[in-house]
Amino acid sequence: MEISTIGLDLAKNVFQVHGVDKEGTVIVRKALRRAQMLPFFARLSPCLVGIEACGTSHHWARELQNLGHEVRLMPPCYVKPYVKRGKNDAADAEAICEAVTRPTMRFVAIKSREQQAALSLHRVRSLLTGQRTQLVNMMRCQLAEFGIAIPIGLGRALHLAQQIEDGEAAIDLPPQAAQVIGMLCELVLKLHARLHELDLRLEALRRSDDMARRLATIPGIGSIGATALAASVTDPHQFRSGRQFAAWLGLTPRQQSSGGKERLGRITKMGDKYLRQLLVIGATSLLRRAKEGPATVHPFLVGILARKSARVASVAMANKIARIAWAVMTRGQVYQSHHVPGLAA
């Protein structure tokens, strides 16, 4: 009998395979070591392979596609309902095999190596930004112990760190405390320099990528947001509308509706947290512009600011930016501030 569908449960070294024929009869159920993976699939005739979307899934999906197989990635939360009773690798592979054949299943587009490389810049930048914040906070705490307060703002903390590093700041500290503060200042400045290098690389990536260049024309989306969206969204046409794209990012209200009564709550916060964070930060920057000059921002933001709090308005504007980004990606155009919905080609 010929295998038509395979459920593949990925891991670091041991991979579980569950294969069935066209009638659903189980043909193979076995565990493979890492070195056995590609030789096993190379011997098979082209078939449908289902995989849960995870850290290594895009790599293996590309490898299996090169062998002629049709690979579909699925969100793990959509596969979980198909797991029968106890959870183990064999049960997970069987559930994946069942889920991948469902006509209503939603799939994740496979990312290229270039997209994953771009996202690695964002992941490292996010990590280093958090570490820089931790070091600055530690420096503030240690200096506060000796009655020295650093003014609010990252720039002022970095300026003081540079003065301490250069020996220009006259701070009276015990020798041991001075050594600790000097070490913190050195680490903070090195991290800040690394982050500046990453920002320059992301800016260069924005200039070289057509989709990122178009996304950067949207108010509230800079080089970081544009490159992150371009690298994360492989196929924008998989979303039927801008609202579905915003829902994928977790920016739409959670529904608790029943009996014909609609009840909308807070946003779902599903999907990519990093992209959602960038969009909300971009929308918050537009809020500041709206307070200084309402004529410089989208009328939608001015209207919602008149009715809602600043935090609610920023999230609503992030939803609006996400919908605009979907339109820009799908239509291959740049942002048009005076665009009238329904008249686009």
Side-chain angles (χ1 to χ4, degrees):
M1 288 186 172
E2 186 175 337
I3 297 176
S4 64
T5 307
I6 288 180
L8 177 61
D9 184 53
L10 298 179
K12 184 176 181 180
N13 293 314
V14 180
F15 305 83
Q16 186 71 34
V17 173
H18 184 94
V20 299
D21 60 12
K22 293 181 179 180
E23 284 73 32
T25 304
V26 178
I27 304 299
V28 59
R29 183 188 290 139
K30 62 184 299 185
L32 299 175
R33 304 294 297 181
R34 189 180 186 89
Q36 298 174 320
M37 268 280 291
L38 294 181
F40 172 81
F41 281 94
R43 293 192 298 267
L44 297 179
S45 300
C47 59
L48 173 62
V49 181
I51 305 176
E52 284 184 328
C54 61
T56 61
S57 60
H58 296 277
H59 164 73
W60 288 113
R62 291 192 300 266
E63 294 292 329
L64 297 181
Q65 280 184 334
N66 292 335
L67 296 176
H69 299 287
E70 180 186 357
V71 184
R72 296 179 182 176
L73 305 183
M74 298 167 289
C77 60
Y78 293 163
V79 177
K80 186 177 181 180
Y82 295 92
V83 178
K84 300 182 178 66
R85 290 182 179 261
K87 182 187 182 306
N88 53 56
D89 292 346
D92 289 345
E94 182 181 357
I96 294 170
C97 185
E98 175 70 18
V100 74
T101 60
R102 297 300 91 198
T104 58
M105 179 57 62
R106 296 179 181 177
F107 300 102
V108 177
I110 300 172
K111 292 182 175 63
S112 65
R113 289 169 59 88
E114 291 73 22
Q115 287 178 309
Q116 289 190 295
L119 286 175
S120 67
L121 295 177
H122 286 275
R123 300 293 180 258
V124 173
R125 183 185 180 278
S126 179
L127 172 66
L128 295 186
T129 300
Q131 291 179 342
R132 182 183 62 181
T133 302
Q134 290 176 333
L135 289 172
V136 169
N137 288 340
M138 178 58 70
M139 190 172 70
R140 290 180 184 275
C141 293
Q142 294 302 318
L143 288 175
E145 293 287 341
F146 299 96
I148 302 171
I150 302 177
I152 295 175
L154 175 63
R156 295 178 178 179
L158 292 174
H159 179 66
L160 178 60
Q162 188 64 60
Q163 287 183 323
I164 295 175
E165 183 74 7
D166 297 338
E168 299 176 358
I171 299 179
D172 183 21
L173 295 174
Q176 291 182 342
Q179 291 178 357
V180 170
I181 295 300
M183 180 179 61
L184 289 174
C185 292
E186 180 184 359
L187 292 174
V188 167
L189 293 174
K190 285 184 177 179
L191 270 181
H192 185 67
R194 292 294 185 185
L195 282 168
H196 181 64
E197 293 176 7
L198 288 175
D199 287 341
L200 292 177
R201 293 177 64 179
L202 288 172
E203 175 60 25
L205 180 62
R206 181 196 66 80
R207 292 194 299 266
S208 63
D209 187 271
D210 177 65
M211 183 178 289
R213 285 199 306 270
R214 290 188 280 107
L215 286 168
T217 62
I218 304 173
I221 296 183
S223 298
I224 297 173
T227 52
L229 282 168
S232 300
V233 184
T234 304
D235 180 19
H237 294 281
Q238 66 179 320
F239 305 102
R240 294 191 300 270
S241 64
R243 188 189 186 286
Q244 191 179 78
F245 179 62
W248 177 70
L249 292 172
L251 289 169
T252 53
R254 185 185 301 274
Q255 290 196 29
Q256 294 289 343
S257 304
S258 179
K261 296 181 180 179
E262 290 191 0
R263 298 182 180 89
L264 301 180
R266 298 180 178 181
I267 59 173
T268 63
K269 294 187 179 181
M270 302 294 288
D272 195 317
K273 178 182 178 180
Y274 180 69
L275 291 180
R276 184 170 61 253
Q277 181 185 42
L278 290 178
L279 291 176
V280 173
I281 291 173
T284 304
S285 69
L286 293 180
L287 256 68
R288 296 172 183 166
R289 287 173 51 187
K291 293 179 180 179
E292 298 173 358
T296 62
V297 298
H298 199 286
F300 171 82
L301 181 57
V302 178
I304 199 169
L305 266 176
R307 306 188 309 271
K308 301 292 184 179
S309 65
R311 177 52 60 192
V312 173
S314 65
V315 175
M317 191 62 202
N319 184 309
K320 183 76 171 179
I321 294 173
R323 298 184 186 212
I324 295 172
W326 174 83
V328 167
M329 289 187 290
T330 53
R331 296 170 185 171
Q333 301 174 353
V334 298
Y335 172 73
Q336 301 173 20
S337 58
H338 301 291
H339 171 73
V340 179
L343 298 183

